[in-house]
């Protein structure tokens, strides 16, 4: 019986930074009602994801006390903003370190992270955070983290922390599960029942996220292989970071990380097996998803409607600002009917509509979207009627009915629709649309594809290589040499 009190500090700092976007992620973006959060508010903020899984399992141990240290939640820009400013990063890390000193000592720390945060002047922010946390809590405490598989990670993080648990699926169905594992393994480590050893191998393969859906081979096969290792060997945890190529940081690309209980040899064996498997499959990994031009995609959507294969999803995977109008323009040009466009981000137009007291029933005739950068395209003039205008989730939302039963949703920021019924409050008859045009790469498959909702899925991108492009060699990297990665260079790799 071990009833010594175990004190665990809980911290959160997550962003998936599209460093090629012109708008920085500022201190202000992290500050809104609910964020930063501490204490119970932090522990409760995301019950279905990493944090919820961690808290649920940690609290199954009666001797565990969780202390929520003041932490920023996701910025209100979501994933629609670029470099995190040093001011934002230092302000929050400073508060975290001060909080740890004030509330300590601790036996363990849980870092709820994403892994693809990019900060001006800090090449590896998650590892930097772990290093600074370690300085406060000392060598005897254990530090565990959870990660998104889009994390850009290398060996640096585990030089300072003890354990990392990344989701395996994309869409990320297992975030809660990884939080649970982090809690259980952290408590075991603190009790002396788990001695974390690990092996990290970078694999020189870089891929755009739209290709990384784990519902299809060979991405699915990588997941399966990792699960087999976890099932056949006790206390083995496998992370396969697919990486996030839209952050211009030195640790992009794929990474295999294996955690074992005091068994470095086994960690090495499993990591080599998976790294070798990725390398063998590299060509097929990059050919797993079919992409269409915007014009072809809209024409195929029309055909699918004629054939009764509805609802159709048109997913513009490449829009990183949320303001892109390419798909909207083509939908208007090809005169699609019963189509929902969700969303066009337009901070200016939504602000002016809010200021003028826009309401349901008002006539609408405005230029929407576009313009924020080249990738957003031109603004498109839409004439119709306002169906709804509401405030929510820190944004102003305006639904405009136009054309033949089409509905356009304007939002303040980029919105990635993952579940069609998440829009119910804005568009009550969500099941009535033949076509749904959204901005998403893979996450939408959660609510549109993997659950059988949509009968036709079409991924589209503009002809030009804009910043969300699959043609990564068109991006202005400064900190990454693409020639070191397959398929852009001819790197050698062996395990
Ligand atoms: Zn992700």
């Amino acid at each position: 019986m071990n009833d010594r009190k175990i004190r665990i500090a809980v911290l959160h700092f997550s962003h998936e930074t599209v460093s090629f976007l012109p708008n920085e992620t500022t201190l202000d973006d992290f500050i809104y009602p609910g964020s930063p959060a501490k204490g119970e508010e932090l522990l409760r903020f995301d019950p279905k994801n990493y944090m919820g899984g961690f808290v649920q399992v940690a609290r199954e141990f009666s001797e565990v006390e969780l202390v929520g240290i003041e932490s920023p939640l996701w910025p209100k820009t979501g994933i629609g903003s670029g470099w995190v400013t040093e001011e934002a990063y230092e302000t929050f890390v400073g508060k975290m370190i001060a909080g740890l000193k004030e509330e300590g000592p601790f036996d363990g720390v849980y870092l709820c992270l994403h892994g693809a945060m990019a900060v001006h002047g800090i090449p590896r922010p998650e590892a930097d955070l772990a290093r600074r946390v370690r300085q406060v809590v000392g060598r005897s405490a254990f530090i565990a983290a959870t990660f998104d598989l889009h994390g850009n990670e290398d060996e640096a993080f585990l030089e300072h922390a003890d354990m990392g648990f990344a989701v395996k699926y994309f869409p990320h169905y297992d975030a809660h599960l990884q939080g649970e594992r982090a809690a259980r393994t952290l408590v075991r480590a603190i009790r002396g029942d788990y001695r974390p050893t690990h092996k990290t191998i970078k694999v020189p393969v870089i891929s755009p996220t739209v290709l990384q859906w784990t519902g299809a081979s060979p991405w699915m096969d990588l997941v399966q292989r990792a699960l087999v290792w976890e099932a056949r060997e006790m206390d083995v945890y496998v992370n396969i970071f697919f990486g996030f190529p839209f952050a211009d940081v030195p640790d992009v690309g794929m990474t295999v990380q294996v955690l074992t209980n005091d068994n470095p040899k086994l960690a090495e064996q499993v990591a080599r097996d998976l790294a070798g498997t990725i390398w063998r499959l590299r060509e097929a990994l990059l050919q797993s998803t079919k992409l269409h031009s915007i014009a072809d995609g809209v024409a195929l959507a029309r055909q699918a409607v004629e054939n009764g294969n509805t609802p159709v999803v048109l997913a513009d995977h490449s829009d990183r600002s949320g303001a892109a109008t390419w798909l909207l323009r083509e939908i208007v040009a090809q005169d699609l009917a019963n189509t929902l466009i969700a969303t066009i981000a337009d901070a200016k137009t939504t602000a002016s509509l809010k200021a003028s007291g826009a309401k349901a029933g008002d006539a609408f005739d405005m230029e929407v979207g576009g313009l924020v950068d080249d990738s957003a395209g031109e603004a498109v003039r839409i004439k119709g009627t306002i169906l709804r205008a509401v405030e929510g989730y820190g944004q102003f939302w305006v639904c405009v009915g136009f054309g033949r039963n089409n509905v356009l949703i304007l939002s303040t920021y980029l919105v990635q629709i993952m579940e069609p019924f998440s829009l119910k409050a804005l568009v009550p008859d969500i099941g009535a649309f033949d076509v749904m045009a959204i901005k998403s790469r893979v996450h939408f498959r959660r609510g549109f594809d993997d659950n059988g909702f949509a009968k036709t899925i079409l991924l589209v991108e503009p002809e030009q290589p804009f910043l969300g492009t699959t043609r990564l060699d068109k991006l202005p990297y400064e900190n990454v040499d693409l020639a070191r990665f397959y398929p852009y260079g001819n790197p050698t790799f062996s395990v």
Side-chain angles (χ1 to χ4, degrees):
M1 189 64 194
N2 192 340
D3 50 11
R4 183 177 70 90
K5 247 307 172 240
I6 291 177
R7 300 192 75 234
I8 297 175
V10 176
L11 283 75
H12 177 272
F13 206 175
S14 289
H15 194 226
E16 184 179 83
T17 308
V18 179
S19 67
F20 301 110
L21 282 170
N23 53 318
E24 295 182 322
T25 309
T26 64
L27 180 57
D28 200 43
D29 290 331
F30 287 99
I31 300 174
Y32 53 89
S35 174
K38 62 179 179 181
E40 279 302 307
E41 261 178 53
L42 177 67
L43 302 178
R44 271 198 313 252
F45 98 93
D46 201 7
K48 289 184 171 173
N49 280 303
Y50 307 95
M51 183 66 80
F54 183 87
V55 171
Q56 186 189 75
V57 166
R59 288 198 161 151
E60 286 173 9
F61 301 94
S62 57
E63 71 273 35
V64 167
E65 180 198 354
L66 299 180
V67 181
I69 303 291
E70 182 173 331
S71 303
L73 304 187
W74 277 76
K76 55 192 170 194
T77 50
I79 55 171
S81 57
W83 287 103
V84 176
T85 63
E86 213 171 332
E87 185 197 15
Y89 179 78
E90 289 298 338
T91 300
F92 290 118
V93 173
K95 280 177 188 253
M96 288 175 187
I97 297 305
L100 284 172
K101 285 180 179 161
E102 219 174 278
E103 307 261 4
F106 292 103
D107 305 290
V109 179
Y110 168 52
L111 301 176
C112 188
L113 306 174
H114 176 286
M117 183 154 62
V119 183
H120 278 308
I122 317 268
R124 292 170 177 79
E126 289 84 7
D128 179 71
L129 175 62
R131 179 182 63 81
R132 289 160 74 172
V133 168
R134 175 65 75 197
Q135 282 173 353
V136 180
V137 300
R139 282 315 317 175
S140 60
F142 287 88
I143 302 175
T146 50
F147 285 96
D148 189 291
L149 58 76
H150 290 115
N152 292 317
E153 292 302 319
D154 56 14
E155 56 288 329
F157 182 80
L158 289 183
E159 281 168 11
H160 307 291
D162 300 287
M163 298 167 261
F165 300 84
V167 284
K168 288 194 174 53
Y169 300 94
F170 186 19
H172 308 323
Y173 298 116
D174 53 332
H176 192 274
L177 175 67
Q178 301 307 335
E180 292 175 33
R181 292 171 139 194
R184 189 168 294 115
T185 318
L186 179 58
V187 171
R188 286 182 63 193
I190 292 167
R191 286 172 169 176
D193 178 40
Y194 195 99
R195 294 170 62 88
T197 52
H198 68 269
K199 176 69 184 177
T200 301
I201 301 179
K202 289 290 291 180
V203 188
V205 173
I206 193 165
S207 59
T209 48
V210 65
L211 304 185
Q212 300 168 348
W213 178 40
T214 54
S217 287
W219 296 95
M220 179 192 272
D221 309 324
L222 292 183
V223 176
Q224 179 59 22
R225 202 168 179 96
L227 290 174
V228 166
W229 275 117
E230 290 183 350
R232 64 186 277 179
E233 299 288 348
M234 267 172 51
D235 292 343
V236 165
Y237 297 105
V238 177
N239 299 330
I240 304 179
F241 290 98
F242 297 173
F244 185 68
F246 303 105
D248 181 13
V249 294
D251 46 1
V252 290
M254 292 186 78
T255 308
V256 174
Q257 199 167 67
V258 178
L259 192 68
T260 58
N261 188 357
D262 203 18
N263 193 342
K265 236 177 113 182
L266 179 61
E268 174 107 24
Q269 182 194 354
V270 178
R272 281 171 187 272
D273 173 68
L274 286 160
T277 303
I278 292 169
W279 189 246
R280 279 196 306 280
L281 294 173
R282 63 191 181 281
E283 201 179 334
L285 284 166
L286 293 172
Q287 288 169 359
S288 57
T289 296
K290 171 92 185 130
L291 300 169
H292 306 278
S293 70
I294 298 271
D296 289 353
V298 173
L300 288 167
R302 265 194 92 102
Q303 255 174 47
V305 172
E306 277 163 28
N307 298 334
N309 296 322
T310 58
V312 178
V313 174
L314 275 169
D316 177 357
H317 73 83
S318 77
D319 182 9
R320 289 288 173 174
S321 67
T325 53
W326 308 97
L327 194 48
L328 171 64
R329 176 180 304 280
E330 194 63 29
I331 285 167
V332 172
Q334 295 196 32
D335 191 28
L336 291 194
N338 296 316
T339 297
L340 174 71
I341 299 108
T343 70
I344 301 285
D346 190 330
K348 237 167 117 181
T349 302
T350 49
S352 86
L353 286 164
K354 186 181 167 183
S356 67
K359 58 184 188 310
D362 290 356
F364 184 92
D365 183 358
M366 289 179 96
E367 303 253 320
V368 301
L371 305 178
V372 296
D373 60 20
D374 288 348
S375 73
E378 300 286 309
V380 174
R381 185 174 174 186
I382 297 292
K383 288 163 83 166
T385 308
I386 294 180
L387 305 175
R388 228 171 217 88
V390 291
E391 187 88 50
Y393 301 101
Q395 305 200 35
F396 194 65
W397 310 78
V398 182
C399 301
V400 180
F402 73 100
R404 298 183 294 133
N405 292 320
N406 297 327
V407 174
L408 164 67
I409 303 179
L410 296 172
S411 58
T412 308
Y413 305 110
L414 166 70
V415 176
Q416 181 174 195
I417 306 297
M418 305 184 209
E419 306 261 2
F421 294 95
S422 68
L423 294 169
K424 246 185 137 172
L426 290 169
V427 190
D429 50 348
I430 198 80
F433 294 99
D434 286 335
V435 180
M436 301 170 113
I438 58 172
K439 310 279 178 72
S440 182
R441 288 157 293 284
V442 171
H443 284 298
F444 75 95
R445 297 199 192 253
R446 172 190 294 266
F448 290 89
D449 192 355
D450 290 341
N451 62 350
F453 174 76
K455 303 297 179 290
T456 306
I457 306 279
L458 297 162
L459 281 151
V460 297
E461 71 172 28
E463 311 274 343
Q464 301 87 332
F466 292 129
L467 60 86
T469 183
T470 51
R471 288 167 280 169
L472 301 178
D473 52 337
K474 305 295 185 224
L475 295 174
Y477 288 104
E478 288 176 9
N479 304 307
V480 177
D481 176 10
L482 276 190
R484 292 193 298 111
F485 295 90
Y486 179 83
Y488 299 99
N490 195 15
T492 52
F493 180 74
S494 64
V495 285

